[in-house]
Amino acid sequence: MKIVILDGATANPGDNPWTEIEKLGETFIYPRSSRAEVIERAADADIILTNKVVIDAAILNQLPNLKFIAVTATGYNVVDVEAARERDILVSNVPEYSTESVAQFVFAGLLDFIHRSQQHHDSIVNGEWPRRADFAFWLQPTWELTGKTIGIVGLGRIGRAVARIADAFGMKVVASSRSERDTPSYAGFQWLDVKTLFSTADVVTLHCPLTDSNVAFVNRDLLEGMKPNSLLINTARGGMVNESDLAAALNAGRIGGAILDVVSAEPISNENPLLKARNCLLTPHMAWATIEARRRLTKFTAENIRAFLSGSPINMV
């Protein structure tokens, strides 16, 4: 059984060995693979692993031995699932490995944006504090999370982890979800439609999968309905945000800011309007990438492959 890992550096830049997967077959590990290299490297592979490398119908047609695609992520939009199904190629993902890491990152970004600790540190190092007349100073107003409303779009595993932390901060939690089940017991919790959620919340955070129906749904209309000082957080998929509309809203001061770990095309292009937008905190799609989460990712991917080889596949998409 030949196993090809197409972009191994994503989950293992050197601190997270593929040992458990290597036990399951003859394994070839490539740090990264271009589109042309996929065909060459996986031509006779039975199993391929991908995180960001796109596997579409044209590529699938050139991989005659392929039987199983293990996506080393929760989101599997990099694979043409319908084309794989037509060729009887099974596709798995890892539905739960980064929940706590992403939820933690949401609040790391939120608290950083509110308090700007690094900005204040830099001002002290540059001699600002002794020049001030008072014993304390701040470069911009800060505010508390307690009493504020957080709106969560997508109340799945990650959304619920975010809700739990928000409740611990004393925030009111409201949510919008395709499936309004298992209603949380937080005081004041409400299910809201997306438009009402955006207009109600002080902080809106996205935790739903990218689908054909929600591409660029965060657009001018939704943004103009938000509170003037409200914040948008996206650690899900950049394609859900109309980036031109968001940049315009930020530059016009219609919303208070954006905290974005993802953009529509990654790595970000020099032409992306968010690079020059006001009050926009950008990070490089890293919310999922704690060492603990990456170790769980490889562990569960090995379990997916092991289950496939045993004839009882799990986590199929």
Side-chain angles (χ1 to χ4, degrees):
M1 189 65 62
K2 181 176 180 178
I3 302 170
V4 175
I5 301 174
L6 294 170
D7 49 357
T10 304
N12 176 25
D15 57 358
N16 183 28
W18 297 99
T19 308
E20 290 304 307
I21 290 171
E22 290 176 299
K23 294 176 183 177
L24 302 175
E26 185 183 18
T27 305
F28 298 83
I29 304 168
Y30 300 97
R32 299 164 190 84
S33 297
S34 67
R35 184 178 179 84
E37 289 170 334
V38 171
I39 307 302
E40 174 188 347
R41 293 171 174 177
D44 57 348
D46 301 285
I47 297 171
I48 60 174
L49 277 64
T50 180
N51 182 277
K52 294 291 186 293
V53 177
V54 174
I55 307 297
D56 56 22
I59 286 180
L60 290 172
N61 288 335
Q62 299 180 70
L63 304 178
N65 292 343
L66 188 60
K67 304 174 183 66
F68 185 63
I69 301 172
V71 181
T72 56
T74 299
Y76 50 87
N77 51 296
V78 295
V79 176
D80 187 332
V81 176
E82 291 302 319
R85 187 173 294 119
E86 289 174 4
R87 293 198 50 215
D88 295 322
I89 298 169
L90 299 182
V91 182
S92 74
N93 72 336
V94 182
E96 186 175 7
Y97 72 94
S98 63
T99 299
E100 300 303 328
S101 295
V102 175
Q104 173 179 294
F105 196 89
V106 167
F107 285 90
L110 178 54
L111 292 169
D112 185 37
F113 190 93
I114 293 170
H115 295 289
R116 305 293 175 104
S117 299
Q118 184 65 49
Q119 184 179 356
H120 285 86
H121 166 81
D122 292 342
S123 72
I124 292 171
V125 171
N126 291 327
E128 181 69 15
W129 201 353
R131 292 195 293 268
R132 296 279 178 153
D134 301 310
F135 77 98
F137 76 96
W138 47 92
L139 299 173
Q140 64 175 40
T142 61
W143 44 276
E144 293 182 346
L145 296 181
T146 302
K148 302 298 190 297
T149 297
I150 187 168
I152 303 172
V153 182
L155 205 64
R157 294 183 182 92
I158 295 175
R160 288 176 186 270
V162 169
R164 185 185 71 242
I165 299 171
D167 180 66
F169 269 111
M171 303 183 78
K172 178 184 176 183
V173 179
V174 299
S176 173
S177 185
R178 290 181 297 177
S179 175
E180 296 182 4
R181 56 185 174 81
D182 301 328
T183 299
S185 59
Y186 307 124
F189 176 85
Q190 289 180 282
W191 292 111
L192 300 176
D193 63 81
V194 170
K195 188 172 184 179
T196 304
L197 182 147
F198 268 73
S199 65
T200 299
D202 300 291
V203 178
V204 175
T205 181
L206 307 182
H207 298 290
C208 48
L210 177 64
T211 65
D212 291 340
S213 63
N214 67 9
V215 171
F217 84 96
V218 181
N219 57 19
R220 178 178 176 178
D221 290 341
L222 278 182
L223 294 166
E224 288 187 344
M226 294 178 73
K227 295 179 179 181
N229 294 321
S230 60
L231 304 178
L232 174 69
I233 303 175
N234 188 8
T235 55
R237 288 292 183 269
M240 291 187 286
V241 176
N242 183 314
E243 292 170 337
S244 295
D245 287 358
L246 176 57
L250 290 167
N251 290 331
R254 289 198 295 271
I255 65 173
I259 301 157
L260 309 173
D261 188 49
V262 289
V263 292
S264 59
E266 298 173 350
I268 195 168
S269 72
N270 292 331
E271 289 74 39
N272 192 307
L274 294 170
L275 285 172
K276 297 180 180 178
R278 295 173 51 202
N279 294 319
C280 185
L281 175 62
L282 296 166
T283 51
H285 203 144
M286 60 182 286
W288 65 279
T290 62
I291 182 59
E292 293 86 355
R294 289 185 288 111
R295 285 173 179 166
R296 285 191 293 269
L297 180 62
T298 54
K299 174 178 179 286
F300 295 149
T301 298
E303 291 178 3
N304 284 348
I305 297 172
R306 196 175 293 114
F308 164 73
L309 294 174
S310 72
S312 301
I314 58 175
N315 297 320
M316 295 296 99
V317 301

